[in-house]
Amino acid sequence: MTFLATAEETSNQQTCVIIGASHAGVTCAFELRKQGFAGRILLVDGGKHLPYHRPPLSKAYLSVPVGEPPPKLKSEAAYTKANIELLLGVNATYISTDKKMVYVKSISEPFEQRKLVFTHLILATGATPIIPPVDGLNGCFEKARENTQNNVLVMRNADDAMALKALVNNPNKPIADFHAVVIGAGYIGLEAASSLRKAGAQVTVIERESRPLARVASEEVSQFVETLHRHQGVNVMCNEAVVSVAPSASQVTPKKEVTAQYDVVCNSGKRLLVDCILIGAGVCINTELAASANLQIEKRAIRVDGRMQTSNDIIWAIGDCTVFPHPEYGNDTHIESVQNALEQAKIAAKNVTLSANQDTKCRTEITPSAYCAIPWFWSDQFDIKLQIAGLMQSADTRILRIDSEHARSIWHFKGDTLCCVEAINSPKAYVLGSKWIAAHAVIDPQKLIDPSIDLTTLNSD
């Protein structure tokens, strides 16, 4: 579906170019059509796969048959029907705001540069996984990508997820003998660890902080999740860091197949011999393209207003790459989640369409929109579902409610105001908490502690 437009081909009509075809970019393209944007829409992405759902990659996707691609966000026919031009395998390299051009290169033709003229530009550039500065790790990562047996992975794209699935289903190596190490105990790392352990693999998780999910969850959630993983046979190593990685002597399987292995050395002196390394050490927000257009960068992200507009009034930004004002959580809110990407995409589409209609003097009933959605997140690990509504950063009080051995919720307050709820196997707490946060409902924190009091009785609104 790759097609590179020239400057002349786009210069005489309204054209919205969207850089990035993950959840934010794809949603925005289709929302533009829904809102009545009548011009040309070009959706540009460096990936080779039809845009796909990313959350399942570290969860259920490992259990589907080998060779089956991740579920698509939209069918190929849907793009054609909506008259959205999807440019896959194409990287944007530079923005000229004076000429209103995006310079792009095809991955298959890296020395040939083309230009896309735009009247409106949307950046959905997302973030890139960090390869920690561990001795030997980057070299192993690069070499693994050159080989057919890719076993140093970041689990943030379809290629890595498919490679992991092939490793797990290798007929020449029993799954019980397959040992994976996960560097980083964030959501993606723990989800991948859960999926691998359920498949029967040996799994070690190494986390430099004192607990899993240290940067994103409460101590109560961290403790519950760590206990769960240990109970399921995952070797969780906190207060530990990897200091070096090196290829080991290759292993010969019972069927005389040679497989690559790695020696992993930790700062405590512990050594592991592993078949696969999964890197979950966080991400770096992609702001290079925005910087080429001299857009305002703050908090290492692209600054946008509540309409998702950047410091340039014909350029918008959405999704993981943004920092933005939120009426509940402050001027420097940054959220990395699918929900945030979808909501911001819809807001941007409304405002881009409004701008386009004003430019062409078309009458419209669309009014400017500002982002105010309450964020939510979820994680599936073994037999638990963790659901979170709101953000806890500003909270000064938290209440733990234990409904059963396997179900509990943690309620975070700033003063008397509920700002976040973490729910473990407690969908009622999640649903009601989301509603109460949005409504600024008054909840008695002390009644939350008592599991004999039905949550539905705590607020009359």
Side-chain angles (χ1 to χ4, degrees):
M1 297 181 70
T2 300
F3 168 76
L4 289 180
T6 65
E8 292 74 20
E9 289 174 315
T10 64
S11 59
N12 296 320
Q13 58 182 310
Q14 290 275 352
T15 301
C16 183
V17 175
I18 303 173
I19 307 299
S22 190
H23 294 85
V26 170
T27 298
C28 193
F30 282 88
E31 189 69 20
L32 281 167
R33 288 294 186 232
K34 182 178 178 180
Q35 293 295 331
F37 184 85
R40 192 177 189 185
I41 300 175
L42 295 100
L43 185 55
V44 182
D45 194 88
K48 63 184 180 181
H49 301 282
L50 202 66
Y52 51 87
H53 288 276
R54 291 182 183 269
L57 297 182
S58 57
K59 302 183 182 77
Y61 181 62
L62 195 63
S63 63
V64 304
V66 175
E68 183 174 321
K72 300 176 180 65
L73 291 173
K74 299 284 185 179
S75 68
E76 186 171 347
Y79 295 93
T80 302
K81 183 178 180 180
N83 196 21
I84 295 169
E85 298 172 51
L86 185 59
L87 285 64
L88 297 178
V90 177
N91 286 324
T93 59
Y94 179 77
I95 299 169
S96 171
T97 54
D98 293 337
K99 297 179 181 179
K100 297 183 180 179
M101 288 183 181
V102 181
Y103 292 77
V104 299
K105 289 182 179 180
S106 169
I107 293 176
S108 61
E109 300 173 0
F111 300 107
E112 185 176 355
Q113 182 170 262
R114 302 291 181 90
K115 306 168 188 176
L116 305 177
V117 167
F118 61 85
T119 55
H120 303 81
L121 177 64
I122 300 174
L123 303 181
T125 50
T128 299
I130 293 172
I131 307 301
V134 172
D135 184 31
L137 180 59
N138 190 67
C140 290
F141 179 75
E142 295 297 334
K143 187 173 182 179
R145 268 151 172 68
E146 297 172 1
N147 299 333
T148 56
Q149 189 181 59
N150 188 357
N151 54 358
V152 183
L153 310 165
V154 294
M155 287 304 291
R156 294 202 38 122
N157 58 59
D159 288 334
D160 277 14
M162 288 189 284
L164 180 60
K165 188 160 49 174
L167 290 170
V168 170
N169 289 276
N170 183 350
N172 297 322
K173 186 176 183 68
I175 188 62
D177 295 335
F178 183 84
H179 187 185
V181 65
V182 180
I183 302 176
Y187 285 122
I188 291 179
L190 291 174
E191 289 165 359
S194 168
S195 297
L196 284 166
R197 188 71 192 114
K198 287 167 68 175
Q202 302 173 50
V203 184
T204 297
V205 176
I206 300 175
E207 171 57 54
R208 65 187 309 162
E209 301 291 340
S210 61
R211 59 186 176 91
L213 303 173
R215 292 173 290 276
V216 294
S218 66
E219 293 181 10
E220 289 84 357
V221 168
S222 292
Q223 182 179 5
F224 186 94
V225 168
E226 182 174 353
T227 300
L228 170 71
H229 277 257
R230 291 186 187 279
H231 180 73
Q232 295 290 341
V234 177
N235 179 22
V236 181
M237 299 166 57
C238 293
N239 290 313
E240 192 74 89
V242 177
V243 295
S244 70
V245 174
S248 71
S250 297
Q251 178 193 38
V252 180
T253 69
K255 293 192 176 182
K256 298 183 179 181
E257 180 188 65
V258 178
T259 61
Q261 288 189 306
Y262 298 96
D263 285 312
V264 177
V265 180
C266 299
N267 60 350
S268 65
K270 294 179 181 178
R271 306 178 71 98
L272 302 169
L273 180 63
V274 302
D275 302 283
C276 176
I277 300 173
L278 300 182
I279 304 170
V283 296
C284 179
I285 300 168
N286 296 326
T287 59
E288 295 85 357
L289 195 61
S292 75
N294 293 316
L295 301 182
Q296 185 176 356
I297 307 295
E298 292 183 7
K299 308 293 183 182
R300 296 180 291 179
I302 305 171
R303 165 61 69 181
V304 295
D305 61 18
R307 300 168 297 166
M308 302 299 106
Q309 195 170 52
T310 70
S311 53
N312 186 305
D313 61 7
I314 61 170
I315 303 178
W316 286 256
I318 54 178
D320 292 359
C321 64
T322 65
V323 59
F324 58 94
H326 192 287
E328 301 293 336
Y329 303 108
N331 192 52
D332 296 329
T333 303
H334 171 74
I335 301 172
E336 296 173 15
S337 74
V338 171
Q339 173 265 346
N340 179 66
L342 301 182
E343 296 291 347
Q344 289 193 346
K346 295 173 184 177
I347 295 294
K350 289 183 180 180
N351 291 303
V352 168
T353 303
L354 177 62
S355 173
N357 288 341
Q358 290 175 336
D359 291 344
T360 58
K361 298 181 180 180
C362 292
R363 296 186 63 184
T364 178
E365 295 181 357
I366 299 176
T367 57
S369 297
Y371 188 90
C372 61
I374 300 299
W376 52 264
F377 315 83
W378 83 98
S379 179
D380 296 326
Q381 299 174 40
F382 295 107
D383 59 346
I384 75 156
K385 178 177 285 292
L386 170 61
Q387 296 171 291
I388 302 172
L391 300 177
M392 70 181 74
Q393 285 86 335
S394 61
D396 50 38
T397 304
R398 64 179 184 264
I399 301 295
L400 172 62
R401 178 188 174 97
I402 301 177
D403 292 302
S404 70
E405 180 182 359
H406 301 291
R408 61 193 61 197
S409 51
I410 301 90
W411 303 77
H412 299 262
F413 291 83
K414 182 179 181 181
D416 296 329
T417 303
L418 178 66
C419 56
C420 176
V421 59
E422 302 169 292
I424 298 174
N425 289 338
S426 183
K428 181 185 291 187
Y430 167 72
V431 171
L432 291 175
S434 301
K435 176 184 175 182
W436 293 341
I437 292 170
H440 299 96
V442 176
I443 307 296
D444 184 345
Q446 295 307 311
K447 291 183 178 180
L448 284 171
I449 299 176
D450 188 350
S452 68
I453 299 177
D454 193 320
L455 287 174
T456 59
T457 67
L458 295 186
N459 183 260
S460 58
D461 294 338

